[in-house]
Amino acid sequence: MGNHDFSTISKDFNGSFDGRGFKIMNVKFTVNTINEVDYYSLFSYVTGGEIKNLIMDNTSIVTEASDRDVAAGTLAAKILPADGKTVSIKNVSIANSSLNFANTTNVESNNLGGLAGLIGYNVTLDRVYANVNISTTFDDNIGAIAG
């Protein structure tokens, strides 16, 4: 997969995704939204299961305009297991990627992370690497792995 605009996989992912070591390359998410909350990434909201053996290279998420509360990460916007569930992220590498949220209006809560915008309890990270440049005009919750 490469050189394509892309939309997220599932608003509520609860399953198994094995990238088998393949690369997802040169993918760009362009966001132009007004009102409400939105999640931007490959997986928008992970509520259970496993994501493993995946390489993401040269992926970018860019806002053109947004006045929404934002959650964004290269792999997942939010990793928040549902009641009684767990999430495992194993052997995932993110390289040469970027999140650019310079044109957002800070509403109440923004979460930007190289891997995920927000990571909750009952999440295991094993052999996870993120090299992501994050540009933004707000300073709410920003981090290399999670916001």
Side-chain angles (χ1 to χ4, degrees):
M1 170 187 282
N3 296 317
H4 298 284
D5 283 341
F6 189 78
S7 60
T8 62
I9 296 172
S10 179
K11 283 205 165 200
D12 185 4
F13 181 80
N14 177 24
S16 180
F17 182 90
D18 186 349
R20 299 188 325 189
F22 286 99
K23 282 186 181 181
I24 295 175
M25 298 177 57
N26 305 321
V27 176
K28 181 178 181 179
F29 301 87
T30 302
V31 180
N32 186 359
T33 58
I34 304 297
N35 301 321
E36 299 179 23
V37 175
D38 235 342
Y39 311 124
Y40 311 110
S41 63
L42 180 61
F43 293 91
S44 59
Y45 202 133
V46 179
T47 60
E50 170 182 64
I51 299 171
K52 65 182 181 179
N53 304 323
L54 179 63
I55 301 165
M56 297 180 72
D57 189 15
N58 195 33
T59 299
S60 66
I61 302 173
V62 178
T63 58
E64 294 177 350
S66 180
D67 65 355
R68 297 179 182 212
D69 289 350
V70 172
T74 306
L75 179 69
K78 291 187 175 188
I79 303 175
L80 295 172
D83 290 337
K85 295 184 181 177
T86 61
V87 174
S88 174
I89 309 295
K90 286 193 233 179
N91 200 26
V92 172
S93 176
I94 300 166
N96 309 309
S97 295
S98 63
L99 301 174
N100 184 345
F101 282 76
N103 296 323
T104 59
T105 301
N106 188 2
V107 182
E108 288 184 25
S109 177
N110 295 291
N111 298 281
L112 298 180
L115 178 73
L118 183 63
I119 297 177
Y121 296 104
N122 297 323
V123 177
T124 301
L125 303 178
D126 182 15
R127 292 169 294 179
V128 172
Y129 169 83
N131 177 5
V132 179
N133 181 22
I134 301 174
S135 302
T136 182
T137 54
F138 59 82
D139 60 0
D140 287 357
N141 302 300
I142 301 165
I145 295 294

